[in-house]
């Protein structure tokens, strides 16, 4: 693929990604910044992060296919790719039926949207697809640079790699809390998992496929939270991330959760502590 995202990245909401935070992520040696949520079609925030940094890759995680027309997104992609060649990865995805009144035929919509990106000249190697289930993972491997799964475990990563085969990018997100007090860490991580993700059918289906029970999902049990939110010392959190690489991922992006929600001193402290425990370039 043309965009080198490195082995480790940071996934964060748009409001967390100030120019100062982006510059610090780059300085610490992470390979990519993933803009979470549903960045609008103009991709202005992605462009501002690229302008404020020198080498780090920037990716969207993800542009919502229901919300933003492919032609508008393609125009923004070409603008950014021309100004910052080989540094921008367009992550796109279908979103959630609960959030979209006209949600219909999700698989057909994905294929149609990728067809439109093809027609608009967005290269396969310049885009990635949010994917959880086998059918969409196969499309990610065939029609994009690869897959960007969200709210998953290393076990899912291993399954995804088997489906994708060798070659396509596999870049899962994983939540982390840098606290060696398990109860404190769960108190921070649990609300971020419960709302909205445990109320969304696509994530519930995927977690059930991975062996969790309806009870785990309905009660947000400790084993579920511990599987989805790496916590502990910086070394323990680094190991939770690296487990995805050991399972077949090419890249893993950490979503750092803090008590104050960030950005701020607590977030920066956690970011630096995590960087110190990882083999960053």
């Amino acid at each position: 693929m043309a965009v080198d995202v490195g082995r480790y990245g940071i996934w964060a909401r748009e409001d967390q990604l100030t120019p100062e935070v982006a510059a610090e992520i780059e300085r610490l040696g992470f390979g990519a910044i993933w803009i979470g949520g549903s960045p609008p079609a103009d991709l202005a925030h992605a462009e501002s992060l690229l302008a404020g940094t020198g080498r780090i890759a920037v990716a969207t995680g993800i542009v919502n296919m229901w919300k933003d027309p492919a032609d508008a997104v393609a125009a923004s992609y070409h603008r950014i790719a021309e100004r910052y060649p080989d540094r921008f990865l367009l992550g796109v995805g279908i979103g959630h039926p609960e959030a979209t009144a006209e949600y219909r035929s999700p698989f057909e919509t994905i294929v149609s949207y990728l067809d439109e990106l093809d027609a608009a000249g967005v290269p396969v190697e310049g885009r990635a697809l949010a994917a959880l289930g086998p059918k969409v993972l196969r499309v990610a491997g065939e029609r994009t640079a690869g897959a960007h799964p969200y709210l998953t475990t290393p076990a899912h990563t291993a399954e995804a790699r088997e489906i994708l085969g060798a070659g396509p990018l596999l870049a899962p997100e994983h939540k982390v809390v840098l606290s060696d007090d398990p109860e404190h860490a769960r108190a921070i991580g649990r609300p971020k998992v419960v709302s909205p993700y445990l109320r969304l059918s696509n994530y519930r289906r995927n977690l059930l496929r991975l062996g969790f029970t309806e009870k785990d999902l309905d009660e947000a049990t400790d084993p579920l939270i511990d599987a989805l939110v790496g916590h502990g010392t910086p070394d323990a959190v680094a190991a939770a991330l690296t487990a995805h690489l050991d399972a077949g991922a090419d890249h893993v992006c950490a979503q750092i959760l803090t008590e104050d929600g960030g950005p701020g001193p607590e977030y920066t402290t956690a970011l630096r502590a995590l960087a110190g425990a990882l083999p960053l370039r």
Side-chain angles (χ1 to χ4, degrees), residues 218-238:
D218 292 341
E219 299 181 8
T221 60
D222 287 353
L224 174 69
I225 299 305
D226 291 347
L228 297 176
V229 183
H231 57 80
T233 64
D235 285 342
V237 169

Side-chain angles (χ1 to χ4, degrees), residues 108-277:
E108 291 178 12
T109 299
I110 289 170
V111 172
S112 176
Y113 199 93
L114 295 176
D115 288 343
E116 291 182 62
L117 292 181
D118 285 343
V122 176
V124 167
E125 65 271 17
R127 65 201 196 204
L129 180 64
L132 291 174
K135 196 172 181 181
V136 180
L137 281 165
R138 291 188 189 96
V139 173
E142 294 166 359
R143 301 287 307 276
T144 77
H148 174 47
Y150 185 91
L151 199 74
T152 65
T153 65
H156 180 271
T157 294
E159 293 177 4
R161 175 50 70 198
E162 186 173 351
I163 291 166
L164 287 168
L169 173 72
L170 180 54
E173 171 269 356
H174 201 95
K175 295 171 178 54
V176 300
V177 177
L178 278 89
S179 171
D180 55 9
D181 178 343
E183 292 305 315
H184 179 243
R186 291 177 190 132
I188 294 172
R190 182 173 276 110
K192 301 298 186 183
V193 172
V194 170
S195 182
Y197 303 112
L198 294 187
R199 301 170 184 168
L200 300 175
S201 58
N202 56 340
Y203 290 114
R204 290 182 70 93
R205 281 195 303 271
N206 192 58
L207 292 169
L208 290 170
R209 274 197 301 264
L210 292 173
F212 295 102
T213 66
E214 293 283 359
K215 177 183 171 67
D216 287 321
L217 304 186
D218 292 341
E219 299 181 8
T221 60
D222 287 353
L224 174 69
I225 299 305
D226 291 347
L228 297 176
V229 183
H231 57 80
T233 64
D235 285 342
V237 169
L241 296 175
T242 302
H244 283 279
L245 302 179
D246 294 340
D250 303 289
H251 171 93
V252 58
C253 45
Q255 181 179 174
I256 297 174
L257 306 178
T258 59
E259 199 160 14
D260 66 3
E266 186 181 359
Y267 184 87
T268 302
T269 297
L271 180 66
R272 291 172 179 170
L274 178 59

Side-chain angles (χ1 to χ4, degrees), residues 47-141:
E47 188 167 12
S48 72
L49 296 181
L50 289 162
T53 53
R55 58 145 189 88
I56 196 167
V58 173
T60 52
I62 46 81
V63 170
N64 190 317
M65 291 177 173
W66 289 109
K67 186 170 71 70
D68 295 297
D71 57 349
V73 174
S76 297
Y77 171 85
H78 287 301
R79 182 189 77 243
I80 294 172
E82 182 177 353
R83 294 175 183 174
Y84 303 98
D86 300 332
R87 289 185 59 202
F88 178 62
L89 182 64
L90 174 65
V92 297
I94 196 63
H96 319 293
E98 292 85 353
T100 306
E102 296 183 359
Y103 196 96
R104 60 189 184 279
S105 305
F107 185 77
E108 291 178 12
T109 299
I110 289 170
V111 172
S112 176
Y113 199 93
L114 295 176
D115 288 343
E116 291 182 62
L117 292 181
D118 285 343
V122 176
V124 167
E125 65 271 17
R127 65 201 196 204
L129 180 64
L132 291 174
K135 196 172 181 181
V136 180
L137 281 165
R138 291 188 189 96
V139 173

